Amino acid sequence: MIRSASTLLLALGLLVAGPVCAQQQPAAPGKPAAADKPRKLTRKERKEMQRQAALEAAKAQQQSQITEKDRELSAAYFVDGVKFMLLEDYPKALERLLKAYQLDPNNAAINYKIAEANLLIGNLKDAGNFAQAAVRLDGKNAYYYLILAQIYASQKQFTEAAQVYTKLIQDVPDSKSYLFNLAELYLAQGKLTDALTAFEQAEKEFGPMDEVSFKKQQIYLKQNNLDKALQEGEALITANPDEVRYVLAQAEMYAANNRLPDAIRVAQQALRKEPENPQAHMILADAYRQQGNATESEKQIKQAFESPELSIDQKVRILVDYLKQLPNPAIQQTALELADITTKVHPREAKAFSVAGDVQLLAEQKPKARTSYLQALRLDNSHYKIWQQVVLIDAELAQSDSLLKHTNQALELFPNQAVFWFYNGVGHTFAKQPAKAVRAFEQGKKLATDNPELAAQFDTQLGDAYNELKEYDKSDAAYDAALTFDANNAQALNNYSYYLSLRGKNLPKARDMAAKLIKLFPENGTYLDTYGWVLYQLKDYANARQYLEKAVRTSRDGTVLEHYGDVLYQLGDAAAAVEHWQQAKKAGGTSALIDRKIKDRKLYE
């Protein structure tokens, strides 16, 4: 078992333990065994011996000066310091420990605890100095090396930390387990070869270990030594024949390195052990896809999705990858089927129905997408974006009942979200309830002050709603506000100009807005009809006919056909006018006068 470098507390008994010194034995009488003549020391060696002698002398002198009373007082301060450290009162702990140090500075245990206290308060410089002193005073205590290594590592001084571990392993008996720590430090420095060497030394000491094999695999892969990495994988499989995870890891390694036949072979080996294993099916699906075998790939991924063991989060990630490729007819059906499988296997997961709704929406299955979103909200109604998707679909389908129901539900949860007030107003507009629409739009506009674009959309809708209420001054003001923000707002330009023409008010302004609109959208039948009708109201029948005729070619709307009939009548072609009125009635959406026009073959306005 690897001992943790974070174990910093030391038994109090270390305090009173005397220094461990090897006693020099006197030389045996007689002729030296090694050589007749001793080697002459170099100048550097003599200086080092003198320095060591001075240190030992100073240490001995200091030790001799410590009285038994001082030693006992130092021990008491030390015990107090350890107590305060356990209480995490580090300032008081340091105060007591430093008093102990003043009385007994050459006590390794005291230096160690001072280093630990400084480390815990982030004073790394002092921590390092005291830890170095502890190692110097007692070079056989592993804990002193460990704290020094930890201090270096905290400062990202990995080289120095590795040197400390190397010395620990060399000098302290029974410390080979720290080879693992040394290997990790080498990995942190990117010294892959040194890390491998340390791991191999550890394996010689403690035998093969799965986690070490995984680490070695990672190193080999970083070194682009695939064969060695695969050898480690095979060794793991051989040593653990019942562990499918090692087989799967090997298959993934083959797949990641484009050795697809081997990946398929090993993944199938995993399935023989666990036939329902979803990860094996996923590996096969990816390998077959890369080989161009779409049928088999689709079969394997569906089998993986049918397993509850493949987590909902994994399935969502895969479906998101499909979403990024939609709309794409080649994968759309597979994406839809996987989404359905996900909701069946995980019927209580809101995210399953949410992602299914996303897939269905991009596949243009809007009613089905809305059903999925609503189920997601039944499971978890707190997701604003899902509510937004629901009301957008309601609006696109022009289903006022659903839109009003869902916006009211959303507003109970998110009353300050302007977008839900907007679509609530749209719902009332669809339902021919302009007064309620105005209330919703006015409330939403108050909440959109920091979003000018959305505020302009509110103004556009208010222009329509106030027009329905015949509050024309408010309608015109709302349209003007919308066009102040965006002079090319197509809806505002079209509706404003058209309603002015119906009222016969400010027709030159209506003409300018409609003319601008068809420059922007020259082929849009609705906009061509608006411009033609404004010209009609200005009694410019020849030009009105030109644009209304073009509108009829692009739109079979009843209003457009009726307008074209009216202009034909004004130009003297009553037969053609009646013909287009009849077509207009059949198409629907005409004025209340259409029957009289057809019956009397005469224009009524």
Side-chain angles (χ1 to χ4, degrees):
M1 179 181 292
I2 301 174
R3 289 151 65 187
S4 172
S6 61
T7 306
L8 299 179
L9 294 176
L10 188 66
L12 296 182
L14 287 174
L15 173 67
V16 295
V20 180
C21 302
Q23 299 298 318
Q24 185 175 1
Q25 299 297 323
K31 185 178 179 180
D36 291 332
K37 185 178 181 182
R39 179 177 65 85
K40 185 177 181 181
L41 297 176
T42 65
R43 182 178 180 184
K44 184 176 180 180
E45 289 173 330
R46 288 197 302 274
K47 282 191 173 183
E48 178 60 22
M49 289 183 67
Q50 291 169 358
R51 189 182 72 82
Q52 290 292 341
L55 286 173
E56 290 295 328
K59 179 178 176 182
Q61 183 181 11
Q62 179 67 35
Q63 199 71 13
S64 65
Q65 293 173 355
I66 298 175
T67 65
E68 188 62 30
K69 183 178 179 181
D70 286 344
R71 192 183 302 281
E72 290 177 358
L73 184 57
S74 175
Y77 282 131
F78 181 85
V79 170
D80 274 354
V82 171
K83 178 186 71 175
F84 283 118
M85 284 190 69
L86 291 171
L87 295 172
E88 298 185 2
D89 189 344
Y90 302 123
K92 285 186 179 178
L94 268 176
E95 177 194 353
R96 301 301 194 277
L97 291 170
L98 287 171
K99 286 182 177 179
Y101 174 81
Q102 288 172 353
L103 294 167
D104 192 0
N106 290 317
N107 187 297
I110 294 174
N111 280 272
Y112 166 76
K113 295 306 288 185
I114 294 174
E116 182 185 356
N118 278 293
L119 173 61
L120 290 170
I121 64 174
N123 187 356
L124 298 180
K125 183 177 179 181
D126 286 346
N129 290 335
F130 281 102
Q132 288 172 352
V135 170
R136 186 173 62 249
L137 291 165
D138 183 358
K140 298 300 180 182
N141 190 311
Y143 289 101
Y144 301 166
Y145 290 92
L146 291 176
I147 194 171
L148 181 57
Q150 184 179 357
I151 293 164
Y152 282 134
S154 299
Q155 301 173 85
K156 300 191 183 305
Q157 294 177 294
F158 298 122
T159 300
E160 290 80 357
Q163 290 170 352
V164 172
Y165 275 114
T166 300
K167 187 168 177 57
L168 163 62
I169 293 163
Q170 289 174 350
D171 294 353
V172 179
D174 301 321
S175 59
K176 299 296 185 183
S177 61
Y178 296 112
L179 283 164
F180 298 105
N181 304 63
L182 180 60
E184 293 292 346
L185 277 172
Y186 284 136
L187 282 177
Q189 299 174 77
K191 295 182 177 180
L192 304 181
T193 302
D194 290 334
L196 266 178
T197 300
F199 279 131
E200 287 167 354
Q201 288 175 347
E203 283 187 320
K204 288 178 182 177
E205 291 290 331
F206 304 104
M209 284 175 274
D210 295 349
E211 292 305 316
V212 171
S213 290
F214 274 124
K215 293 284 186 182
K216 289 169 68 178
Q217 273 187 328
Q218 292 172 9
I219 295 170
Y220 288 134
L221 289 171
K222 288 178 182 178
Q223 292 177 329
N224 294 318
N225 192 339
L226 179 61
D227 289 338
K228 279 282 192 180
L230 291 169
Q231 284 177 19
E232 289 291 335
E234 292 296 341
L236 277 170
I237 294 170
T238 302
N240 303 273
D242 296 326
E243 287 282 358
V244 175
R245 60 191 177 110
Y246 297 132
V247 182
L248 292 172
Q250 192 79 340
E252 287 178 343
M253 201 181 308
Y254 278 124
N257 288 277
N258 206 33
R259 290 177 57 169
L260 302 179
D262 287 321
I264 292 170
R265 172 181 57 80
V266 177
Q268 288 173 338
Q269 179 183 341
L271 286 177
R272 285 193 291 272
K273 295 177 181 294
E274 291 184 8
E276 304 301 322
N277 189 289
Q279 206 60 40
H281 286 298
M282 288 301 302
I283 294 168
L284 286 170
D286 188 54
Y288 285 127
R289 179 188 59 79
Q290 291 186 65
Q291 286 185 333
N293 189 343
T295 302
E296 191 60 33
S297 176
E298 183 178 330
K299 174 185 172 183
Q300 294 294 332
I301 197 170
K302 286 179 184 177
Q303 286 182 277
F305 266 60
E306 286 167 356
S307 171
E309 299 304 315
L310 187 66
S311 73
I312 180 62
D313 291 327
Q314 286 179 280
K315 290 170 183 172
V316 168
R317 283 195 295 272
I318 293 165
L319 285 169
V320 167
D321 287 337
Y322 277 94
L323 282 170
K324 293 174 182 177
Q325 302 174 64
L326 292 176
N328 179 350
I331 65 165
Q332 179 168 296
Q333 188 57 36
T334 300
L336 287 167
E337 290 179 19
L338 292 177
D340 285 341
I341 293 170
T342 302
T343 58
K344 289 174 184 176
V345 176
H346 304 278
R348 305 304 302 167
E349 288 282 359
K351 65 182 72 174
F353 290 93
S354 175
V355 74
D358 292 341
V359 172
Q360 292 152 357
L361 184 62
L362 286 175
E364 294 297 323
Q365 297 185 0
K366 293 179 182 177
K368 191 171 182 179
R370 180 173 59 186
T371 300
S372 294
Y373 287 137
L374 288 171
Q375 182 58 29
L377 291 171
R378 290 186 193 99
L379 294 167
D380 182 357
N381 67 0
S382 66
H383 293 280
Y384 163 81
K385 289 186 177 179
I386 301 179
W387 281 108
Q388 190 175 32
Q389 291 287 58
V390 168
V391 299
L392 281 171
I393 294 172
D394 289 336
E396 288 177 11
L397 297 176
Q399 295 180 350
S400 60
D401 290 346
S402 295
L403 185 54
L404 288 171
K405 175 184 176 182
H406 296 141
T407 51
N408 285 330
Q409 289 174 336
L411 284 168
E412 289 180 9
L413 296 166
F414 307 100
N416 295 322
Q417 289 295 330
V419 68
F420 294 132
W421 287 106
F422 179 86
Y423 283 106
N424 186 256
V426 170
H428 286 300
T429 299
F430 288 159
K432 308 296 183 185
Q433 299 169 339
K436 291 182 178 179
V438 163
R439 285 196 290 272
F441 290 138
E442 291 286 11
Q443 177 63 29
K445 186 180 175 182
K446 293 175 185 176
L447 298 170
T449 53
D450 59 343
N451 188 339
E453 184 176 356
L454 181 57
Q457 292 184 48
F458 275 111
D459 283 322
T460 302
Q461 296 295 331
L462 282 166
D464 293 349
Y466 278 125
N467 182 78
E468 288 295 312
L469 293 171
K470 295 183 171 48
E471 296 186 39
Y472 298 125
D473 289 343
K474 290 182 178 180
S475 175
D476 292 352
Y479 284 133
D480 286 331
L483 291 169
T484 298
F485 174 77
D486 179 6
N488 295 325
N489 182 324
Q491 183 180 343
L493 287 171
N494 181 71
N495 293 4
Y496 194 8
S497 59
Y498 185 67
Y499 291 145
L500 285 174
S501 72
L502 292 180
R503 287 156 45 200
K505 299 292 184 181
N506 209 345
L507 292 176
K509 180 177 182 178
R511 179 189 57 206
D512 292 343
M513 289 190 292
K516 182 176 187 178
L517 189 60
I518 62 166
K519 285 182 181 178
L520 295 170
F521 306 96
E523 303 299 324
N524 185 290
T526 300
Y527 301 158
L528 288 166
D529 172 68
T530 297
Y531 187 45
W533 193 244
V534 171
L535 293 174
Y536 178 92
Q537 297 288 36
L538 287 165
K539 303 187 185 307
D540 185 356
Y541 300 126
N543 281 323
R545 174 178 180 170
Q546 175 187 344
Y547 287 100
L548 288 169
E549 190 170 61
K550 191 174 181 182
V552 166
R553 289 199 295 268
T554 60
S555 171
R556 303 307 293 173
D557 179 80
T559 300
V560 177
L561 289 165
E562 185 177 5
H563 287 167
Y564 186 49
D566 291 357
V567 78
L568 289 174
Y569 187 91
Q570 294 286 10
L571 291 170
D573 192 346
V578 172
E579 180 183 347
H580 283 86
W581 288 336
Q582 290 171 336
Q583 293 175 12
K585 181 179 179 180
K586 188 175 181 180
T590 59
S591 73
L593 298 170
I594 191 68
D595 288 332
R596 288 184 64 192
K597 291 179 182 180
I598 295 170
K599 180 182 177 183
D600 297 342
R601 302 178 68 83
K602 182 179 178 181
L603 177 64
Y604 292 99
E605 295 182 313

